[in-house]
Structures are given as structure tokens and as C-alpha cells.
Amino acid sequence: VYFSTFLIFFLTAKYPEIKSLMKPDSNLIWIIIMMVLTQLVAFYLVKDLDWKWVLFWAYVFGSCINHSMTLAIHEISHNFAFGHHKALWNRWFGMFANLPIGVPYSISFKRYHMDHHRYLGADGIDVDIPTDFEGWFFCTTFRKFLWVILQPLFYAFRPLLINPKPISHLEIINTVAQIIFDIIVYYVFGIKSLVYMLAASLLGLGLHPISGHFIAEHYMFLKGHETYSYYGPLNLLTFNVGYHNEHHDFPNVPGKNLPLVRKIAAEYYDNLPQYNSWVRVLYDFVMDDTISPYSRMKRHPKGKEVLE
């Protein structure tokens, strides 16, 4: 499980150099701009391809970029692009990073993700936890396979059922900007580029190797262990989101510096249960009869929570 507040205080006292890692990562800005430009080039390259190749490249290439971009938005939600003193700059930049995903996402994600960090596993607050229906229905091998494929839809609609929030003005701007961008893609590049963009997001967040992180992060493959880290090569595409114990312990440390947290405090992290393959996580989740969407730690709220 992730460390208690007391132990985090102890770690920062024992290893004060960790505090020096709590700073913005300006490289994020240039990486994200290049990713957006890469997808714009891809829109141009696929616009005249046969449909089978549009979908092929959406899964093989576009899905990796778009899933990676959702994790760039995760970094931005923690204000790692411009720092906490320029929080609004991060919100605008998150909308920009959102564009090649095709569906408005950035602002809402920020609001719900902060609740996830503050109240991990809190019933009715942390929308990362599957609904009772998901746990009840997706309980067989085939149904869990379908659940993995449909993960992006559950992540999109689950907040509306578990913890609906009033729509903010930034969410409206995010939505309008995204719709305008999608219309521009359609008129400039054509329907195939638009389908490529949306298919890349749907496929990349569903049955895809990178999507193993959704399950690897907090599903209890071992009783008593609520959060797990992954130290495999896909961290290179995901801004080190695999360093998940480290991330929950030190949410003010950008992904770029999380390997340093592990290195500095190796005695605390190296002996925790960990993964080296997200593909294996997906396989085990589907095939293991003891694991299902119910395999999450759920806590009853105390009634004093202050939500984002």
C-alpha cells in the first residue's frame, strides 16, 4: 500500500533531496507540442488510405500517441508543465494537449483526479473504482475481456453515475474548443482522419498494452497491497506513470523524477510487489477467476471530504 502521511514525512526528513525533485518539468511543454504536431502529420498521411489501413495505423501508431497524451494530461493536471503558481496556464495547455484525443477530457480529468489522490478508494468519490454493476456483470473470462475493451467508455461515463459535478466554465471551453478542432480536422483532412483520431483514442485506451496500467495501478492481485508500481519499458511512453507507489507518495514530483525517488529511497520501494509487464497484467486479469472489477479497496467516506 502507499505510505502513510507520517512515513512520507519521515522519508522527506531522511532524504531531503527528494524535495529538490518537486519542481515543474518544462520539457513536458516541448514533448507535448511535438506529439500534437506528430498527430497532425498523421492526419494528413492517413486521409487517402484504404479504411483497413486507417484502422491499422490508428491501432499501431495513433493509439500509442493518444494514450500517451492522456498521461501527459495527467502530468499537466498536477501542474507539472508550468508549476502551481501558473495553474491556469496548465489548464489551457491541457486543453491544447487534449486536441488530438478528439473528445473533451482534460479539465474534467483534473477535477476527478485530485479527488482520487486525496480520497483513494473512497466510495462515491473516487471514480477510478468500478461501479457495483461492473463488478457484478463482468465476472467471467469473456465478460472481463469485453470490459477491458470497453474501458474508455466506463471511464467516460462512470463519473456521471458515481460522483457528478456541476459543469465548470473551463469544461465548457474545453468542450467547445474540442468540437471546433474536430470540425476543422474533418473539413481539412476528411472523414478518414477524423475516424483515425477517434479510433486511436478508443483502441488505445481499451485492449492495448499500455492500458495495462489502468489495472496494474490499484487492483489487488495480492491482498493487502492496494497500489503497485510497474518498472518496464512502457514507462518511456507514459511519463513514468508506472512508478505508481512513488507517484501517490509524492504527487508533487513529476514523472521524469520518479525513478530518482525510487533510487533515493530504494530500501522502501524495491521490496514492494511490482510488475514488469502490463500485457501480463491484462492477461492475468482476464484469465484469473479470483480477479475482477471488484478487486479494489473501497472505503466509506467520513463525511468531511472537501472535493475538487
Side-chain angles (χ1 to χ4, degrees), residues 183-254:
I183 292 172
I184 291 173
V185 169
Y186 174 74
Y187 276 99
V188 173
F189 299 108
I191 187 62
K192 290 181 178 179
S193 296
L194 183 64
V195 170
Y196 163 86
M197 174 175 64
L198 297 174
S201 296
L202 185 63
L203 296 173
L205 296 168
L207 187 63
H208 193 280
I210 298 178
S211 292
H213 81 85
F214 289 131
I215 295 170
E217 290 166 358
H218 298 295
Y219 282 76
M220 293 177 58
F221 283 78
L222 294 174
K223 289 187 181 298
H225 292 277
E226 181 179 0
T227 304
Y228 301 78
S229 288
Y230 156 84
Y231 299 125
L234 290 178
N235 278 308
L236 295 173
L237 297 177
T238 58
F239 300 90
N240 287 327
V241 75
Y243 288 75
H244 219 64
N245 271 304
E246 295 85 346
H247 172 60
H248 272 269
D249 291 343
F250 299 101
N252 288 326
V253 175

Side-chain angles (χ1 to χ4, degrees), residues 68 116 123:
S68 181
H116 169 69
D123 189 17

